[in-house]
Amino acid sequence: MSEPKPPSGAPRDPSRRAFLRGALAAGAITQTLSKVEAALAEPTVDPSAAASADDEVATLAGKVPVTLSINGRDTKLSIEPRTTLLSALRVHADPPLTGTKEVCAQGNCGACTVLLDGRPVYACLQLAIDVQGRAIRTVEGLGTPEALSPVQAAFCEHDALMCGFCTPGFVVATTACLEKNPSASLDEIKHELSGNLCRCGTYPHVFAAALDAGARLGGEPRKDAR
Amino acid sequence: MTAPDSNAAQIAAAAAAANALPPAADERPEWTPRAEMTVLNREIPRLDGPQKVTGRARYTHDVRLPGMVYARLVVTPYARADVGRISLTAARKVPGVVYAETVKADDEGVRYQGYDGILVVVAAETPEAAEDGVRAVRAKVTPLRPPLVTPEQALADGAPQITRRGNVSSESSRGDSDAAAAALEGCDAVVEATYTLPVQHHVCLETHGCVVDYRGGDSATVYHSSQYVTGGPQEFAQYLELPRGNVRVICEHMGGGFGSKFGAGTEGLLACQTAKALGRPVHLMLTREDEFLMAGNRSGSKQRMVGGATKDGKLRALLVEADRLGGVGQGSLPTPPYIYDVETSWSRLRSVHTATDSNRAQRSPGHPQASFAMESLVDELAYALSIDPLAMRLANLSDPVYHRQLQRAAREIGWDAHPHKTAHGAPDADGRALGIGFGVSTWGSSSRPDAIVEVRIHPDGSLEVSNAVQDIGQGSRTLVAAIVAEEFGLPVSAVTPRIGDSSLPTSVYSGGSITTGSVAPAVKDAAFNARTALAARVATALGVEPDTLVFRGGRVEVRDDPSVGMSWKGACALLGGDPLTASGKYRDHLHGERVHGAQAAKVSVDVLTGRVRVLRMVCVQDQGIPFNRMALRSQINGGLIQALSYGLFEERVIDPIHGVMLSDDLEAYKIAGAQEMPEFTVILDDDDDRQAAMGMAEAPNIPGHGAIANAVYNACGVRVRDMPLTPDKILTKWLEMQR
């Protein structure tokens, strides 16, 4: 594997705006506010004086060959090392695998859930280069419209989807949950799916589908103690 | 072709004879009686389910085209700002960046958070390069203070003007305030309270945006995550400076809209401009952060109310002063007293503007705000009079449907056996208190007369139904197919629905629960016309009268003598070489208006942590003909869950010093997840026997959070008047009560 090119110079100061954005994403509100205050207290750079510096850009560019095992097939990509698995799947793979959805791109919502060696992970929080040699299963690899997996079939039968944008993530997370334990109880299913968000309100039907699919996979869903 | 129908000469003769027949008799389509339905009024799995659960369904965000570039916006976080020099030189040097242009004119500042905060558009070969381009933009942006992001800032003396209409607009009043004040005098209980609701976001999981496929020339195709496909070409053609007829808009699937996706938006305009400049397809989907900043919201609300009731439980007087808080938009709020009957009422409504993103329609616009205030006030008066809050509601609702539905909801939730109905309860030894609350809803479920539907029967027996309507998750794709299947006595799978494309026959927008009420009658009309035409041909072939024929079980046969008939395929073969095409239009008699709805919530309040846990929600909902009972339950679940989420978690937070939105991701802006789901009991109100098509997406979204708030009071006596019901508010009030 070729090494990425080293930067031509030290990373440049981010723009103030970008800094503020970064600060705002950073954490607790009080902390954020103090950072905002600190940023505002900085002397404003006169853009005309700094024009030459502002007009330059230091880039760290360069693609590397990456081989990903996606749904049992080795897929060769030429991507930048910073490419997330989500982007590798959705944008850089040929053909693109767009079943894995982008909703928040920062690990809040679960729409991009894929299986990595059988465990559910957020594809937006994985670098593609880091998951070489590991088994990646996406929603496309679980079943086809003509031959649905038990989880997919149960989702359809229970109307566990509406707009469908969160659905691939829920299907993958449910698959992971039931492959680990087809006898998962309702509470266990809720726990396993708590990393996935739906806005249309499909949760109750997702739970019903998951319990049903568990039974189809040979489980005997336990009752929760109440 | 099957044996009994294989006489080609006979078929050809019949077809020729059928073509000579006069048009169908002047009978009109009527919905099949519910008991006789074989497809509708049942659980119908979505036709696009297999596509969606396997990741094959293609959304706008998923469109990939040759030569396509990815566009991103540079947006200031500040509500109001001066914008100095914007340097794009560095951005344009970023490898992969092919386009970077400012949106602002020289010296044009930022007047409000939202579309006005867009400074630059960057487009690049990859999303990564586009992001690099965004980061390389240098802009001198100086926030202005005060940012005018709160009503108090906007109303302060000397506050800069926010909108052309000023900082307060659209004032209106209704009723006689003196009369209402006088009516208070005769009341046995008077409650004076201010109810506030935060700004809520739609949080469509697919962000707003489009892919503009323009590669030079005089035509374009636009993929748009849209609630109004038919309306798309007009706007996009204008932005692309192309003839309207040369622009096609496609929305095969869309990841949620909830009222926020009717138009192209500024993002659509900018995508078009970029595509025009480059002559390449442009993918412009908002980031999640952009989505929070500029994709609309449900307006906040502040309602100051004085209400009075007599000891018989009758609402006698109500005075309301309410502010709609829709940012630079007008906001929405129905005129009080909303659903309940009040003898004498007066209200004054106004819009107080802030320098924040305009509100947009959001599922039942204005109603959840009005509902929370009114359901709380009715509840407060009931407890003040020591009246059962259920009885109090029944005493002030004249429509018998509400009585039926509320009593059913009360029965389901266990109100009869509930130990404390007229006074609040107390926590147990573990600090947990149980409570039950109620609320009711209403929605007009109107319709638009625009929909035109085409049904096409092919000689090989295949069957298509076409209309430009979008499926925003409510299941319209499945609905249009199911109505046709019912008409011909075929399974739903026998019908291919073609929707979500502006080149198909005209449809309506999906908003205000009008889709079903507007499109279903037109589908029925088209299917009826197609059936009448096909029946005429079959009748000739069989030598019977057309009106003796029925389509059932995959056959066309004489109603009273099923041995005289033919298979569906045989009937279609009578068409010879050409398909039979029938069109249909909106038929008002097939549509109905106004739905109700009653809800009950049961909660557990932990007074040690202030945490509210919803244990159960019950909804009894009418909807005319329940075409697809499974999709209706999904839709109702969705309304209940969005109300729960609104009531417990959701709140836009903007820092009042700098005007920076602090809740611009799904970490800080929480929506309900799997762990917060209670048990749901959804009851389709089959006592509503109206043979009519009507939508009901809005109604179940309206009273849930109010019912939850009322349940919290019933549990432990904590009355929270400002949503959401976060633990800090519960604890503060609980501790105040203990002093």
Side-chain angles (χ1 to χ4, degrees), chain B residues 186-367:
Chain B
C187 290
D188 299 306
V190 170
V191 167
E192 191 171 349
T194 299
Y195 303 99
T196 60
L197 296 106
V199 168
Q200 182 190 25
H201 289 282
H202 299 77
V203 196
C204 311
L205 290 200
E206 181 180 38
T207 55
H208 287 59
C210 57
V211 177
V212 178
D213 185 5
Y214 175 75
R215 309 178 203 188
D218 63 356
S219 66
T221 300
V222 179
Y223 302 86
H224 186 211
S225 188
S226 171
Q227 294 179 239
Y228 189 23
V229 167
T230 286
Q234 182 174 16
E235 217 177 348
F236 283 107
Q238 186 193 332
Y239 296 160
L240 287 164
E241 300 168 307
L242 294 174
R244 181 173 163 178
N246 294 8
V247 176
R248 178 181 174 197
V249 173
I250 293 173
C251 180
E252 264 186 272
H253 302 280
M254 59 111 61
F258 311 110
S260 65
K261 288 185 178 170
F262 292 117
T266 301
E267 64 277 10
L269 167 66
L270 296 173
C272 288
Q273 288 174 347
T274 307
K276 279 289 266 195
L278 295 173
R280 293 174 66 176
V282 171
H283 181 286
L284 199 172
M285 303 299 294
L286 297 186
T287 64
R288 180 56 50 190
E289 184 182 357
D290 293 344
E291 180 84 3
F292 276 109
L293 284 168
M294 64 182 71
N297 54 72
R298 177 189 299 289
S299 53
S301 169
K302 181 176 182 180
Q303 299 168 61
R304 293 171 289 271
M305 302 181 105
V306 187
T310 42
K311 58 180 178 239
D312 57 359
K314 285 280 187 189
L315 296 169
R316 302 293 178 185
L318 176 69
L319 293 95
V320 181
E321 284 182 296
D323 294 343
R324 295 175 294 251
L325 307 172
V328 294
Q330 201 176 317
S332 46
L333 194 72
T335 306
Y338 194 42
I339 296 175
Y340 291 94
D341 304 327
V342 180
E343 207 168 64
T344 309
S345 69
W346 168 82
S347 62
R348 185 169 66 200
L349 274 56
R350 63 178 186 172
S351 300
V352 177
H353 298 288
T354 48
T356 54
D357 189 22
S358 172
N359 73 293
R360 299 186 190 181
Q362 183 170 349
R363 195 171 185 177
S364 58
H367 286 238

Side-chain angles (χ1 to χ4, degrees), chain B residues 310-473:
Chain B
T310 42
K311 58 180 178 239
D312 57 359
K314 285 280 187 189
L315 296 169
R316 302 293 178 185
L318 176 69
L319 293 95
V320 181
E321 284 182 296
D323 294 343
R324 295 175 294 251
L325 307 172
V328 294
Q330 201 176 317
S332 46
L333 194 72
T335 306
Y338 194 42
I339 296 175
Y340 291 94
D341 304 327
V342 180
E343 207 168 64
T344 309
S345 69
W346 168 82
S347 62
R348 185 169 66 200
L349 274 56
R350 63 178 186 172
S351 300
V352 177
H353 298 288
T354 48
T356 54
D357 189 22
S358 172
N359 73 293
R360 299 186 190 181
Q362 183 170 349
R363 195 171 185 177
S364 58
H367 286 238
Q369 297 96 311
S371 174
F372 170 61
M374 201 59 202
E375 294 290 357
S376 297
L377 184 80
V378 168
D379 230 53
E380 294 203 44
L381 284 166
Y383 288 107
L385 291 163
S386 299
I387 293 175
D388 175 340
L390 175 68
M392 179 89 181
R393 283 173 169 75
L394 297 175
N396 295 287
L397 290 164
S398 48
D399 191 329
V401 174
Y402 286 123
H403 289 238
R404 171 177 92 214
Q405 295 183 340
L406 267 173
Q407 281 157 347
R408 181 83 192 273
R411 204 159 60 238
E412 288 290 332
I413 201 103
W415 183 244
D416 272 358
H418 190 60
H420 42 89
K421 298 194 187 69
T422 57
H424 66 79
D428 63 15
D430 293 330
R432 276 193 280 272
L434 293 178
I436 289 174
F438 297 95
V440 291
S441 44
T442 184
W443 192 257
S445 299
S446 63
S447 61
R448 300 266 160 178
D450 315 300
I452 295 169
V453 171
E454 198 176 274
V455 168
R456 183 168 293 187
I457 305 170
H458 293 275
D460 66 355
S462 59
L463 187 53
E464 295 170 74
V465 53
S466 303
N467 178 255
V469 70
Q470 49 287 324
D471 192 328
I472 70 167

Side-chain angles (χ1 to χ4, degrees), chain A residues 12-13 15-17 20-21 24 29 32-33 36-37 40 44 47 51 54-57 59 80 82-83 87 90-92 96 98-99 101-104 106 108-109 139-140 143-145 148 152 155-159 161-168 171 190-191 193-194 197-201 203-205 207, chain B residues 45-46 49-57 59 61-62 64 70 74-75 77-78 85 87 89-90 93 95 126-128 132 134 138 140 143 145 200-203 205-206 254-256 258 288-289 472-473 630-631 634-635 637-638 641-642 645 650 655 658 660 662 665-667 671-675 677 680:
Chain A
R12 299 195 49 78
D13 289 340
S15 70
R16 223 162 98 106
R17 199 195 57 76
L20 289 179
R21 290 190 154 214
L24 286 165
I29 285 170
T32 300
L33 278 176
V36 172
E37 290 285 9
L40 289 169
T44 305
D54 264 3
D55 292 346
E56 290 306 316
V57 59
T59 55
E80 293 173 302
R82 47 85 175 261
T83 307
S87 184
R90 287 182 53 82
V91 176
H92 299 280
T98 56
K101 298 300 181 217
E102 177 180 331
V103 168
C104 73
Q106 60 177 44
N108 295 147
C109 75
V139 70
E140 289 95 342
T144 65
L148 299 171
Q152 290 168 329
F155 266 61
C156 291
E157 287 164 34
H158 290 272
D159 207 39
L161 61 143
M162 293 182 74
C163 86
F165 212 70
C166 71
T167 305
V171 166
K190 286 183 178 179
H191 177 78
L193 299 182
S194 61
L197 291 174
C198 165
R199 187 51 156 172
C200 295
Y203 299 109
H205 288 176
F207 302 153
Chain B
R46 276 165 213 265
Q51 296 292 315
K52 289 181 172 178
V53 299
T54 57
R56 267 69 169 182
Y59 296 75
H61 212 312
D62 304 332
R64 302 288 179 267
Y70 293 84
V74 177
V75 184
Y78 303 117
R85 177 175 177 269
S87 170
T89 314
K93 288 180 184 170
T126 64
E128 288 82 9
D132 289 347
V134 166
R138 305 285 186 266
K140 186 186 178 189
R145 297 194 195 183
Q200 182 190 25
H201 289 282
H202 299 77
V203 196
L205 290 200
E206 181 180 38
M254 59 111 61
F258 311 110
R288 180 56 50 190
E289 184 182 357
I472 70 167
M630 189 152 66
S634 285
Q635 191 72 282
N637 283 336
I641 291 167
Q642 287 183 5
S645 188
E650 295 183 40
D655 146 39
H658 310 105
V660 173
L662 302 175
D665 62 37
L666 288 167
E667 190 77 42
I671 64 171
Q675 297 276 29
M677 289 302 110
F680 293 98

